Amino acid sequence: MQIPEGATSMSQAQHYRAPPPPVTPSSLSFPFSDRRFDLKPFVQISNSGNQASEDEVGVCAALLTFCSYILIMITFPLSLSYCIKVVQEYERAVIFRLGRLLKGGAKGPGIFFIVPCIDTYRKVDLRTVSFDVPPQEVLSRDSVTVSVDAVVYYRVNNPTMAVANITDYSHSTRLLAATTLRNVLGTKNLSEILAERETISHTMQASLDEATDPWGVKVERVEIKDVRLPVQLQRAMAAEAEAAREARAKVIAAEGEHKASRALKEAAEVIAESPAALQLRYLQTLNTISAEKNSTIIFPIPVDVLTHFLK
């Protein structure tokens, strides 16, 4: 007999009991049966129940469809006005039969047929739609309150998704456009809002197009129409612009005086080098004055006399 570890005598070894084996899910069993519990029969029963319910629904749908066709044939001349429908070139019809979409997608343009008792349809316009986003009071990143409105152009590119995935795609697109306008402008400064309208429009278009893609809606264009500022801010910006223009005018005038003084200095140096140049300048001035129609009286004095007094 092997004495286990930790036992100091034979008596302790006799009273020693080995620990029970670990319990695993495979070893679990019920007292009333030697068989282990298995879920497969219950899963099979559940699947068979679902299949039976689907078969019943399929039988009911087939029965209703058959009765509808019989009714159409009985009332044949009159039933044509209810069975034949027409959609325009820019429209599509999404048909539901007993609450389910028909295979093949939307119907149209032109003539299509429906079964009056079991079919319902909804027309979807594929033309481009434009709407004005109401003026939004936006707080810019530099804490300036501005009122901005925009114009959004969109169209439906998937009629089935526009009908099946959302209740009212037009109303939802309008609400999303107003929210996106506030979110985008809230990250811009006032100067960026006034100067980067095209960039803001492209950002809004990308954001709206990504959000409306599951609805079957394509946003084609977004334009910022008007940006209105508070009256006090307009006065402050006008005063700032006027002061900036006056400062630039003074700088330009000072630069002109500086250049004129340099030119006069160079002219004086040239005249000083040649005394005859002063006489020519004097005669040129007389010619200029005499060309004008005025009552100016000129007393020509020889330059030599002036030089005598200057000496």
Side-chain angles (χ1 to χ4, degrees):
M1 180 178 180
Q2 184 179 1
I3 299 175
E5 296 180 2
T8 57
S9 63
M10 185 61 68
S11 61
Q12 291 181 357
Q14 291 176 355
H15 292 287
Y16 175 77
R17 292 181 180 180
V23 179
T24 59
S26 60
S27 63
L28 290 177
S29 61
F30 291 91
F32 56 84
S33 175
D34 294 336
R35 300 178 181 177
R36 293 182 177 85
F37 187 70
D38 192 4
L39 292 177
K40 290 184 180 179
F42 295 92
V43 174
Q44 294 176 358
I45 292 173
S46 177
N47 292 335
S48 62
N50 293 335
Q51 186 176 2
S53 61
E54 291 179 359
D55 293 339
E56 291 177 359
V57 173
V59 170
C60 293
L63 182 61
L64 290 175
T65 304
F66 178 75
C67 294
S68 299
Y69 281 114
I70 293 296
L71 182 62
I72 291 173
M73 288 187 292
I74 292 175
T75 61
F76 175 69
L78 184 63
S79 61
L80 290 179
S81 60
Y82 296 95
C83 295
I84 298 176
K85 301 296 180 181
V86 179
V87 291
Q88 304 297 328
E89 182 69 28
Y90 52 84
E91 293 178 336
R92 297 293 184 272
V94 181
I95 303 176
F96 295 88
R97 175 163 296 174
L98 295 175
R100 295 185 178 183
L101 283 169
L102 286 184
K103 296 181 180 179
K107 305 297 182 181
I111 299 176
F112 64 96
F113 297 89
I114 64 170
V115 181
C117 299
I118 60 176
D119 287 354
T120 58
Y121 72 97
R122 181 177 172 184
K123 291 183 180 180
V124 180
D125 197 332
L126 302 184
R127 292 176 293 182
T128 300
V129 180
S130 62
F131 64 90
D132 293 331
V133 180
Q136 304 294 317
E137 295 289 338
V138 181
L139 184 64
S140 62
R141 192 170 61 180
D142 51 355
S143 301
V144 178
T145 302
V146 294
S147 178
V148 184
D149 55 354
V151 182
V152 178
Y153 300 86
Y154 75 93
R155 62 179 176 85
V156 177
N157 61 352
N158 193 326
T160 304
M161 296 175 64
V163 173
N165 290 357
I166 190 168
T167 303
D168 188 351
Y169 64 87
S170 177
H171 182 65
S172 301
T173 304
R174 294 171 186 269
L175 294 179
L176 183 62
T179 305
T180 305
L181 179 62
R182 290 196 299 269
N183 294 338
V184 172
L185 295 181
T187 60
K188 304 290 184 180
N189 294 327
L190 178 61
S191 59
E192 296 175 350
I193 294 175
L194 297 176
E196 300 179 0
R197 293 191 180 187
E198 186 175 356
T199 303
I200 295 173
S201 299
H202 289 317
T203 304
M204 284 189 59
Q205 178 184 355
S207 179
L208 286 174
D209 195 17
E210 182 180 359
T212 57
D213 185 64
W215 305 343
V217 176
K218 171 68 176 177
V219 178
E220 296 180 341
R221 190 178 183 88
V222 178
E223 291 292 339
I224 303 298
K225 187 167 65 173
D226 190 16
V227 178
R228 288 186 291 272
L229 304 176
V231 179
Q232 296 179 354
L233 183 59
Q234 292 180 9
R235 293 175 181 175
M237 293 178 66
E240 180 183 0
E242 184 178 0
R245 286 193 296 269
E246 290 180 356
R248 286 197 298 270
K250 291 180 179 179
V251 170
I252 293 172
E255 291 178 354
E257 292 291 339
H258 180 68
K259 293 179 180 179
S261 62
R262 286 183 175 274
L264 289 175
K265 178 183 176 183
E266 294 176 358
E269 292 176 354
V270 172
I271 292 174
E273 294 177 356
S274 177
L278 182 60
Q279 183 67 24
L280 293 175
R281 181 59 180 168
Y282 175 72
L283 295 175
Q284 186 179 4
T285 303
L286 291 177
N287 187 20
T288 303
I289 295 174
S290 62
E292 298 178 358
K293 296 179 180 180
N294 51 25
S295 58
T296 305
I297 300 174
I298 302 173
F299 296 96
I301 301 174
V303 180
D304 295 339
V305 175
L306 294 177
T307 56
H308 176 71
F309 283 105
L310 292 174
K311 288 179 180 180

